[in-house]
């Protein structure tokens, strides 16, 4: 799983989250540090309103938490979700002889780029951060 700090960088770069069942997230409050939640229709459900998305905690008696606004949570995308977001730029994932992971991406008109990290998830996140940042720069 990627770190909350890396997830915040992705969000800050412009990665948008549309909460769905199976998504993992963290609540950005000091007293919730280290807690990871998973959206499930059984316990945590995304409620979409014109004013924004609320993540509702259904039937949780042990927490004094009924809901949290989406902007107070940060998405912790899974490896498969990041690979899907990389889309056609994704070329490969490999494990190096030193135990690190390398994600190879290629954007049209640009040379291939390799992103290396200690975990596959972190390598995917670094590649995705680069892709999102480049897309925002291109639009902006």
């Amino acid at each position: 799983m990627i770190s909350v700090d890396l997830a915040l960088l992705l969000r800050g770069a412009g990665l948008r989250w549309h909460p769905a069942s199976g998504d993992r997230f963290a609540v950005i409050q000091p007293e919730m540090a280290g807690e990871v939640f998973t959206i499930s229709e059984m316990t945590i459900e995304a409620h979409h309103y014109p004013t924004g998305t609320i993540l509702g905690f259904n039937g949780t008696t042990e927490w004094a938490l009924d809901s949290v606004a989406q902007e107070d949570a940060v998405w912790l995308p899974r490896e498969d979700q990041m690979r899907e977001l990389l889309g056609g730029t994704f070329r490969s994932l490999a494990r190096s002889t030193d135990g690190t992971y390398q994600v190879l991406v290629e954007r049209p008109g640009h040379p291939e780029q390799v992103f290396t990290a200690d975990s596959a998830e972190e390598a995917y996140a670094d590649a995705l951060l680069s892709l999102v940042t480049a897309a925002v720069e291109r639009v902006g």
Side-chain angles (χ1 to χ4, degrees), residues 39-91:
I39 295 179
S40 168
E41 284 77 21
M42 296 297 292
T43 56
I44 302 172
E45 190 173 2
H47 302 281
H48 305 283
Y49 300 103
T51 57
T53 300
I54 299 294
L55 304 173
F57 291 73
N58 303 324
T60 54
T61 56
E62 67 276 5
W63 292 93
L65 183 63
D66 292 326
S67 63
V68 62
Q70 182 177 348
E71 58 267 12
D72 295 329
V74 63
W75 181 30
L76 302 170
R78 298 183 313 267
E79 184 177 330
D80 64 300
Q81 291 171 314
M82 291 185 282
R83 188 172 44 252
E84 183 177 327
L85 288 167
L86 287 171
T89 67
F90 175 69
R91 295 293 174 257

Side-chain angles (χ1 to χ4, degrees), residues 18-49:
H18 305 283
S21 186
D23 285 355
R24 296 177 306 203
F25 67 95
V27 177
I28 308 167
Q29 294 178 1
E31 62 273 11
M32 303 292 282
E35 296 290 337
V36 175
F37 299 93
T38 302
I39 295 179
S40 168
E41 284 77 21
M42 296 297 292
T43 56
I44 302 172
E45 190 173 2
H47 302 281
H48 305 283
Y49 300 103

